[in-house]
Amino acid sequence: MSTAQETVEYAAEEAPRLGWAEHAPEVYKAMIRLDSAARQGLDPTLYELVKIRASQLNHCAFCLDMHTKDALAAGESVERIVQLSAWQESRHFYTEKELAAIELTEAVTVLTDGFVPDDVYDRAAKHFEEEELARLVAAITVINAWNRFGVTFRMTPGHYQPGQHK
């Protein structure tokens, strides 16, 4: 029987393998510039949904921590964030434009077949002007790169504060 005074013991927090930004500051700064350029003209909510979905697919805990906190701080609902991992069964939580972006995010992130299917691209192209579509694909590409840094160097989630890296 547990008591109110009983404490829960969580697993130990792992330290990152390497502080890559300190060892490759030019690369880090270039990534920040690329990220900033990609986000221009994109709806901030859509931008965060894309970042969260790619980070879910890539199992990047650090990026999930960051982008869910930023999305919540920007007014996104907990419900939509939670349902994002099952968006195909939860389509009614998202606009058709958001669904097209989420589907495109999956296709660009998981290149299992070696290409982005025409029907997925065409659906996105119906909802986005060409410049916006180019920036969306850039944003998806950038978060995939961030995810690879986060996963490879085992960046530790849980310490990010909303807006910290903007």
Side-chain angles (χ1 to χ4, degrees):
M1 185 171 230
S2 64
T3 66
Q5 292 138 345
E6 187 177 313
T7 58
V8 176
E9 200 169 313
Y10 293 99
E13 183 176 295
E14 288 189 42
R17 287 177 168 163
L18 178 73
W20 76 271
E22 298 154 21
H23 296 287
E26 309 80 22
V27 175
Y28 180 76
K29 289 175 191 172
M31 286 291 297
I32 294 289
R33 287 190 307 272
L34 183 59
D35 195 34
S36 178
R39 86 172 56 213
Q40 298 300 314
L42 289 179
D43 174 80
T45 300
L46 179 85
Y47 179 77
E48 292 302 334
L49 289 174
V50 162
K51 294 220 168 211
I52 293 167
R53 186 63 191 133
S55 299
Q56 289 171 335
L57 293 166
N58 289 320
H59 305 279
C60 186
F62 181 84
C63 293
L64 279 169
D65 180 52
M66 176 188 296
H67 296 294
T68 55
K69 287 176 179 175
D70 282 346
L72 289 167
E76 184 56 84
S77 73
V78 170
E79 189 170 46
R80 281 172 34 106
I81 292 170
V82 169
Q83 292 300 319
L84 191 54
S85 64
W87 67 270
Q88 291 172 321
E89 294 81 21
S90 305
R91 297 177 65 83
H92 60 285
F93 286 96
Y94 308 100
T95 67
E96 289 299 321
K97 186 174 185 175
E98 289 169 337
L99 289 167
I102 294 164
E103 186 177 28
L104 184 62
T105 299
E106 288 196 5
V108 172
T109 300
V110 184
L111 292 171
T112 308
D113 294 327
F115 58 89
V116 173
D118 289 339
D119 62 324
V120 172
Y121 183 87
D122 292 344
R123 266 191 294 284
K126 281 197 284 190
H127 292 281
F128 294 89
E129 297 293 326
E130 288 181 344
E131 183 178 329
E132 191 180 20
L133 183 57
R135 291 186 183 277
L136 175 61
V137 172
I140 295 166
T141 302
V142 172
I143 189 57
N144 273 280
W146 282 122
N147 289 165
R148 271 111 180 113
F149 285 115
V151 170
T152 301
F153 295 120
R154 290 192 184 143
M155 294 173 67
T156 308
H159 304 286
Y160 179 79
Q161 297 301 313
Q164 180 179 335
H165 293 302
K166 287 189 177 185

